[in-house]
Amino acid sequence: MVPQKRVKKNLKWYEKLRWFVSSNGTLVVCGRDAGTNEIVVKKYLESNDIYLHADIHGAPSTVVKLGGDEADDQLLKESAIFAASFSSAWPNNFTIQDVYWVLPEQVSKTPQSGEFVPKGAFIVRGRRNYVRSAKLEIAIGIVEYDGEKRIMAGPIDAMKAHAEKYVAIKPGYTKKEKIAREILNRINEDNLITLEDVVRVLPSGKCDFI
């Protein structure tokens, strides 16, 4: 029997970034690097969304796609966990990290005299609203979203709402590739995903199972 060649999936716009769907169905995205941080803000941050950033150097721009809805405490908590877990706090083995959120009009690329804004970075002006001590922990599972089954990495509460089978990880000491293989073994029903898919959604740095 000739093995079937896996057809390369066309990624949706949010799959080219980091993303998850909150427990109430709101899409949250963040950048993967300096280039996609620029894209997240310039292309996808709209006037009725909110912007989050972990309060640490080396954190992605995170956008909650509210679409005019209100952000409740649970959505802010989940989004803060997401923003913290994909920041430099993870490879530094932190267990918690403060995250702040602001309105889109507070986020700017325009420097004041003497300021320099590198690629992927933005200036935030005005009052910052803090979500303190967001836990660094991410769940990985396969969810039905946008008419298709997809691998998702997001907060545990969000995963509980959308996936029957998932695994949860925290910052740790196991190499990414090793933990990715174990995750693949645990969640890959119907051979929907590959090892590459799992590695792509993991946070930067080493991990351990919770």
Side-chain angles (χ1 to χ4, degrees):
M1 185 175 169
V2 180
Q4 283 188 311
K5 190 178 178 186
R6 189 170 181 269
V7 179
K8 188 169 173 61
K9 283 188 293 191
N10 288 322
L11 296 178
K12 295 282 189 180
W13 68 268
Y14 48 84
E15 291 179 293
K16 295 174 185 176
L17 308 167
R18 295 195 181 279
W19 68 282
F20 83 96
V21 183
S22 73
S23 52
N24 74 352
T26 302
L27 179 64
V28 182
V29 296
C30 75
R32 302 182 67 88
D33 50 30
T36 47
N37 268 344
E38 290 277 331
I39 291 168
V40 162
V41 174
K42 290 181 176 177
K43 193 170 181 181
Y44 298 120
L45 179 62
E46 297 177 297
S47 59
N48 51 9
D49 298 334
I50 59 173
Y51 173 93
L52 286 91
H53 198 275
D55 200 11
I56 187 173
H57 180 72
S61 286
T62 304
V63 171
V64 182
K65 299 297 298 170
L66 283 175
D69 294 333
E70 290 286 315
D72 61 18
D73 286 346
Q74 180 62 26
L75 177 55
L76 289 172
K77 176 191 166 189
E78 290 177 20
S79 301
I81 287 169
F82 182 71
S85 295
F86 288 106
S87 76
S88 59
W90 189 287
N92 283 316
N93 252 32
F94 291 8
T95 55
I96 55 171
Q97 174 62 48
D98 289 346
V99 176
Y100 64 82
W101 65 269
V102 296
L103 300 176
E105 59 264 30
Q106 293 177 249
V107 183
S108 171
K109 196 72 186 177
T110 310
Q112 292 178 331
S113 178
E115 281 184 316
F116 169 71
V117 187
K119 184 177 182 181
F122 294 87
I123 297 163
V124 174
R125 297 190 170 100
R127 181 174 175 267
R128 300 179 182 193
N129 308 280
Y130 277 87
V131 179
R132 300 288 182 188
S133 304
K135 285 182 82 170
L136 271 76
E137 54 183 22
I138 286 290
I140 297 109
I142 294 171
V143 302
E144 184 89 36
Y145 180 66
D146 209 5
E148 219 174 291
K149 287 188 173 178
R150 311 173 188 280
I151 186 170
M152 183 175 96
I156 294 170
D157 285 351
M159 197 62 70
K160 280 179 183 172
H162 300 294
E164 288 178 17
K165 186 184 282 190
Y166 61 88
V167 296
I169 57 171
K170 62 184 179 181
Y173 303 96
T174 307
K175 286 185 177 175
K176 228 172 159 173
E177 289 71 19
K178 184 178 179 184
I179 211 150
R181 278 194 292 274
E182 182 59 36
I183 291 169
L184 189 68
N185 290 337
R186 294 192 195 184
I187 69 169
N188 195 20
E189 290 179 357
D190 306 322
N191 290 321
L192 279 170
I193 56 171
T194 66
L195 184 65
E196 185 186 349
D197 294 329
V198 179
V199 170
R200 181 177 168 79
V201 301
L202 291 177
S204 300
K206 296 178 180 178
C207 317
D208 283 326
F209 289 111
I210 293 176

